[in-house]
Amino acid sequence: MVVNYHGALADSAWTYAVGEIPDDVKHLMDVTHKALYLGIEQAQVGARVGDIGHAIQTYVESENLAVVREFIGHGVGPTLHEKPDIPHFGQAGKGPRLKEGMVITVEPMVNMGAWKAKMDDNGWTARTVDGSLSAQYEHTFAITKDGPEILTYQGEND
């Protein structure tokens, strides 16, 4: 979901369960949600983009799940998808440095099967290549001297 309020943009995505779900699907959702926040915690002034992706990938893979690589987070400014790119995988200590005042998104997509995803011909629908289930959570936040400030916070159930 993208919101444009008087020229200020924010991007957010959320996965919701409908009805009763199996334990492995709940695990997928819980891991993806926690990975979002582990990535956001890395977004400190002076840290590097790779620190975010490394934290997410390390945690997700330790839970026997896979991080999608085709879709990534991004900077937010006058337009929605700006530099820097924010992959949800990678090496700590690599990539551009994060600076105070930057606004970025972290939006890990996590699969129960392989990490590969594809787009349907309609240019909108994304799927896992192997047909496995996937979950995604996303926040837009500002990098401040006091740490990341989430701009798309949804309340205490967030």
Side-chain angles (χ1 to χ4, degrees):
M1 171 183 75
V2 177
V3 174
N4 182 335
Y5 183 73
H6 299 289
L9 299 170
D11 199 4
S12 182
W14 224 247
T15 297
Y16 295 96
V18 178
E20 292 293 321
I21 60 172
D23 288 344
D24 60 343
V25 176
K26 180 160 181 28
H27 178 70
L28 169 68
M29 292 174 66
D30 290 345
V31 167
T32 308
H33 189 249
K34 183 173 179 181
L36 167 70
Y37 285 96
L38 288 172
I40 291 171
E41 287 173 10
Q42 303 306 308
Q44 305 291 328
V45 173
R48 294 194 178 267
V49 166
D51 300 336
I52 295 170
H54 179 74
I56 291 169
Q57 181 181 14
T58 300
Y59 171 64
V60 167
E61 290 178 355
S62 78
E63 294 291 328
N64 297 313
L65 298 169
V67 178
V68 170
R69 285 145 172 85
E70 290 88 354
F71 305 105
I72 58 176
H74 49 85
V76 177
T79 60
L80 184 61
H81 294 106
E82 296 190 355
K83 297 292 182 190
D85 292 339
I86 312 292
H88 304 106
F89 57 94
Q91 296 180 354
K94 301 289 184 181
R97 286 208 183 272
L98 302 174
K99 299 174 185 163
E100 184 176 358
M102 292 175 86
V103 177
I104 64 174
T105 69
V106 168
E107 50 184 289
M109 295 176 72
V110 176
N111 296 347
M112 290 176 78
W115 60 263
K116 293 184 178 183
K118 64 179 180 175
M119 293 295 292
D120 283 358
D121 290 339
N122 65 15
W124 179 251
T125 305
R127 301 179 186 279
T128 58
V129 170
D130 62 10
S132 65
L133 294 179
S134 187
Q136 180 183 28
Y137 294 92
E138 175 185 17
H139 271 311
T140 299
F141 56 95
I143 298 173
T144 76
K145 67 180 183 330
D146 298 321
E149 181 180 339
I150 297 173
L151 305 174
T152 50
Y153 181 69
Q154 299 179 21
E156 58 185 77
N157 291 326
D158 190 348

